[in-house]
Amino acid sequence: MSKFKKKTGTSENIPTSALPDIIFMLLFFFMVTTVLREQEILVEQKIPQATQLQKLEKKSLISYLYIGKPKNVAVYGTEPRIQANDVLINTSDIILWVNQEKDQLSEVERDQITISMKADRDVKMGPISDVQFELREADARKLLYAAVGKVQN
């Protein structure tokens, strides 16, 4: 004779009193797992395609520069502009911006800062060369160019 009997009439219904808890857990899960964009892009971005890409490991050391035609043409004109964080800057302001970005990092990581340049595919090489020169002057030697992978058919 067994001490434990099998229950025969078990119900697998979820009690309605537990529904708010379940909904809250789902909501909390999606809030935690969703990554929100940190900055609003003020310039047009049609990123060029590339055949060889590398994924970056330490994203905390990356600062982004966006180069492209402004979305608000009435205010900023049609010439390509540079966006750093949420502000449109000139090439002369890049050194100051790089120094501010380095100040946010720890002392050990300051020389490891990487500038990611996301340039629109329609931007001429002149503004990009100006940005490269200013980054050299600011001693930001690690530069990467953002691209999207080539679509395989």
Side-chain angles (χ1 to χ4, degrees):
M1 185 156 148
S2 163
K3 282 187 175 180
F4 304 104
K5 289 185 180 178
K6 283 188 178 180
K7 293 185 180 180
T8 55
T10 59
S11 171
E12 295 187 16
N13 294 337
I14 298 174
T16 56
S17 62
L19 287 177
D21 294 335
I22 294 170
I23 292 170
F24 177 75
M25 286 189 309
L26 282 172
L27 178 66
F28 188 72
F29 170 77
F30 286 114
M31 286 174 42
V32 170
T33 58
T34 303
V35 177
L36 299 176
R37 183 179 294 271
E38 295 176 10
Q39 343 177 0
E40 180 184 346
I41 307 298
L42 302 173
V43 294
E44 289 183 8
Q45 289 289 290
K46 291 182 275 184
I47 305 296
Q49 291 183 346
T51 56
Q52 296 179 352
L53 297 174
Q54 284 185 328
K55 193 130 177 124
L56 301 171
E57 290 91 34
K58 205 161 186 189
K59 291 193 177 198
S60 63
L61 298 175
I62 299 174
S63 297
Y64 296 94
L65 278 178
Y66 302 94
I67 303 174
K69 187 175 89 172
K71 290 181 179 178
N72 191 350
V73 178
V75 176
Y76 300 112
T78 59
E79 291 299 312
R81 300 290 303 261
I82 304 165
Q83 178 184 346
N85 299 333
D86 282 333
V87 182
L88 293 176
I89 61 172
N90 296 319
T91 53
S92 58
D93 300 329
I94 290 177
I95 295 175
L96 176 65
W97 174 75
V98 169
N99 290 332
Q100 288 173 348
E101 292 292 310
K102 284 183 179 180
D103 288 343
Q104 294 176 358
L105 299 174
S106 68
E107 195 72 33
V108 176
E109 296 176 329
R110 287 187 184 172
D111 60 338
Q112 298 174 1
I113 189 168
T114 302
I115 306 299
S116 175
M117 191 181 313
K118 292 188 173 188
D120 187 51
R121 73 173 79 149
D122 297 331
V123 173
K124 304 285 186 219
M125 195 59 196
I128 294 174
S129 296
D130 295 341
V131 170
Q132 290 173 338
F133 178 76
E134 290 295 322
L135 289 173
R136 268 185 250 130
E137 292 292 318
D139 199 30
R141 306 285 179 178
K142 292 184 181 177
L143 178 64
L144 61 94
Y145 300 94
V148 294
K150 193 171 187 177
V151 179
Q152 300 289 333
N153 287 337

